[in-house]
Amino acid sequence: DAGVIQSPRHEVTEMGQEVTLRCKPISGHDYLFWYRQTMMRGLELLIYFNNNVPIDDSGMPEDRFSAKMPNASFSTLKIQPSEPRDSAVYFCASSNYGTGVLAFFGQGTRLTVV
Amino acid sequence: GDSVTQMEGPVTLSEEAFLTINCTYTATGYPSLFWYVQYPGEGLQLLLKATKADDKGSNKGFEATYRKETTSFHLEKGSVQVSDSAVYFCALSGGFGNEKLTFGTGTRLTIIP
């Protein structure tokens, strides 16, 4: 298996633009997590899904952020409109409860909003 | 809610030194505990885990023991190498019904030759 695949690896965008981050989880995993990593706040859980259903979105910072999981093999995190304070590395992770909740992480998307 | 408190970094050691990175947690029930490692420019990788009290997780010379009495899960290695330079994260999962991973702030480790 290729692991969790995120795209793009790097994204630079102007303030006010819409940004869409993509994630393909490991096949067979039924949990998907979106995390944000910054120097100031460390790793923050934004939202997670179980069997494509959002379970906890309490970490989503504002209404500008939205996440979807239309099927078991794809998820998106969208920011509209983007702001400079959204600059961070965004990680997607997937896991299978049957393996003891071992989350496997993608390599992340480094987002820079100028 | 659940929380993880990690030793503040950064930590700088000489090669072959003994390493300890402290981690304590607060959680209801019986969480599973993890150490993840992040190398520069990469995502997090699971280093080791323990799912119940007194379990010892180990991998690549690293060890950590789940101590319920002290709510701790300290990471240790007897002889570090330059290649161990990375950021280390302690994390917990609450298990069924609370599957999300809660992370500590991370500890940056630098090993000097």
Side-chain angles (χ1 to χ4, degrees):
Chain A
D1 199 311
V4 177
I5 299 173
Q6 291 186 246
S7 65
R9 290 293 310 276
H10 302 274
E11 177 79 40
V12 180
T13 190
E14 292 185 346
M15 182 173 62
Q17 296 297 306
E18 178 180 293
V19 175
T20 299
L21 310 181
R22 297 173 175 79
C23 175
K24 181 182 185 329
I26 292 173
S27 177
H29 280 190
D30 49 9
Y31 286 90
L32 185 139
F33 306 82
W34 281 101
Y35 284 88
R36 179 172 66 176
Q37 185 179 37
T38 61
M39 289 294 292
M40 292 298 295
R41 300 172 70 92
L43 268 167
E44 303 173 276
L45 176 66
L46 300 178
I47 184 171
Y48 80 96
F49 296 82
N50 177 219
N51 292 322
N52 313 336
V53 176
I55 302 300
D56 184 350
D57 66 354
S58 60
M60 296 286 263
E62 301 171 34
D63 290 345
R64 298 184 296 107
F65 286 70
S66 62
K68 294 182 180 180
M69 193 165 185
N71 57 62
S73 60
F74 183 65
S75 177
T76 59
L77 177 68
K78 185 178 294 186
I79 308 172
Q80 165 66 14
S82 58
E83 297 183 3
R85 58 193 170 119
D86 302 330
S87 298
V89 181
Y90 291 81
F91 288 104
C92 176
S94 71
S95 66
N96 185 333
Y97 183 73
T99 61
V101 198
L102 299 175
F104 295 84
F105 281 73
Q107 291 193 294
T109 295
R110 181 175 294 278
L111 173 65
T112 303
V113 183
V114 298
Chain B
D2 296 347
S3 67
V4 176
T5 301
Q6 256 185 264
M7 175 178 172
E8 290 288 330
V11 175
T12 302
L13 295 173
S14 298
E15 202 166 22
E16 299 183 3
F18 183 85
L19 168 71
T20 300
I21 300 177
N22 290 338
C23 171
T24 57
Y25 68 90
T26 301
T28 55
Y30 303 93
S32 293
L33 303 174
F34 307 85
W35 277 98
Y36 280 80
V37 59
Q38 184 179 30
Y39 298 102
E42 298 186 11
L44 278 71
Q45 303 173 25
L46 179 67
L47 181 60
L48 53 84
K49 69 165 185 171
T51 58
K52 61 182 187 295
D54 300 325
D55 266 3
K56 176 186 283 188
S58 61
N59 187 24
K60 299 181 181 179
F62 291 89
E63 294 183 339
T65 302
Y66 189 146
R67 301 288 188 198
K68 189 167 177 62
E69 64 276 14
T70 55
T71 62
S72 65
F73 193 55
H74 305 321
L75 182 68
E76 297 182 335
K77 187 174 185 182
S79 176
V80 292
Q81 305 300 313
V82 172
S83 58
D84 294 328
S85 298
V87 181
Y88 292 81
F89 293 88
C90 186
L92 70 82
S93 169
F96 185 75
N98 185 16
E99 292 81 4
K100 65 182 182 182
L101 279 168
T102 299
F103 286 89
T105 53
T107 301
R108 182 175 298 278
L109 174 66
T110 302
I111 306 302
I112 300 172

